[in-house]
Amino acid sequence: ADTSAINMAVIAPLASTTQYEIPSRVNCAVALQLGASNIPGAGRGIFVLQSVTQGALLFEVPNVLYSVTTKECIETTCDNCFAHKSSHGKTDPRPDLAFDACEACKVAYYCSDVCKTAAWDAYHQFECPNIATIISTDPEGVGKAHPRSEDIRTIVRILSLKDAGKI
C-alpha cells in the first residue's frame, strides 16, 4: 500500500446524504463529491472519493473570471492559490505555511512570493491601487464600503479588470 496516499473521504466523511452537483465547468481529475461536512462549523466541502497522493491535482476550473476570499478568511487564505490555515485545519502540507499581506493595500494575503507575483501579473496590479485609495479614505475600516468585504472586493476587482481591458 502507498503510505503517502491520503483518503479524504475517510478523514472527513459526509455528515448527510445531501448531495450537491459539481458544476460542469469544473474538470475533475479524481472522483469528487460535494456535501456537508462532519467537522463542526466547516459547512459544505469537496470530498475525494478515492485515495490520492499528496500534491496530486484534484480538479481545475479553467477560465475563472474572478474569485475573492471571505472577509473572515482573508488573513488565513492565499488570494492566489487559496492555501488556507485555520482552527479547522489547513489545505496545504507545508509545515511553515504563513500568509503575508500585500505591502501596498494590506488586503490581499499570499502564502509565497511565487503566489504574490502570479497574482500581481494576473489581476492584483489592477485592483491594488484602487483598494489602497478606498482604504485611505477609511483607514480604520469602519465604513460599509471597505475592501475587506467580499462584496466590495468583488466590485473593485471586476471594475479594475474591466478598466484594464482584461474582461
Side-chain angles (χ1 to χ4, degrees), residues 10-163:
V10 172
I11 293 172
L14 297 178
S16 71
T17 58
T18 303
Q19 300 297 310
Y20 303 92
E21 185 176 333
I22 295 175
S24 60
R25 68 183 180 278
V26 176
N27 298 329
C28 297
V30 297
L32 300 174
Q33 183 177 18
L34 299 179
S37 174
N38 276 343
I39 302 169
R44 294 182 301 206
I46 300 173
F47 299 89
V48 179
L49 301 177
Q50 66 190 62
S51 292
V52 295
T53 57
Q54 182 175 333
L57 176 68
L58 303 179
F59 68 92
E60 61 184 354
V61 182
N63 303 317
V64 174
L65 176 61
Y66 77 94
S67 58
V68 295
T69 56
T70 63
K71 64 183 172 188
E72 295 82 17
C73 297
I74 205 166
E75 295 179 13
T76 58
T77 304
C78 178
D79 196 61
N80 185 63
C81 74
F82 301 105
H84 176 76
K85 180 170 69 173
S86 73
S87 60
H88 297 298
K90 61 183 184 174
T91 62
D92 188 289
R94 291 175 282 180
D96 60 342
L97 182 62
F99 304 95
D100 293 318
C102 169
E103 292 178 19
C105 71
K106 307 281 191 267
V107 170
Y109 282 73
Y110 302 101
C111 66
S112 68
D113 288 339
V114 170
C115 277
K116 185 185 300 184
T117 299
W120 184 262
D121 291 345
Y123 60 88
H124 194 61
Q125 65 179 307
F126 309 111
E127 69 180 355
C128 186
N130 297 324
I131 292 170
T133 298
I134 294 168
I135 289 174
S136 71
T137 64
D138 184 13
E140 300 302 315
V142 295
K144 291 183 180 182
H146 198 273
R148 284 188 176 257
S149 154
E150 53 267 25
D151 295 338
I152 299 301
R153 272 199 80 202
T154 296
I155 292 167
V156 170
R157 183 165 291 173
I158 289 173
L159 292 176
S160 299
L161 289 171
K162 183 170 180 1
D163 284 350

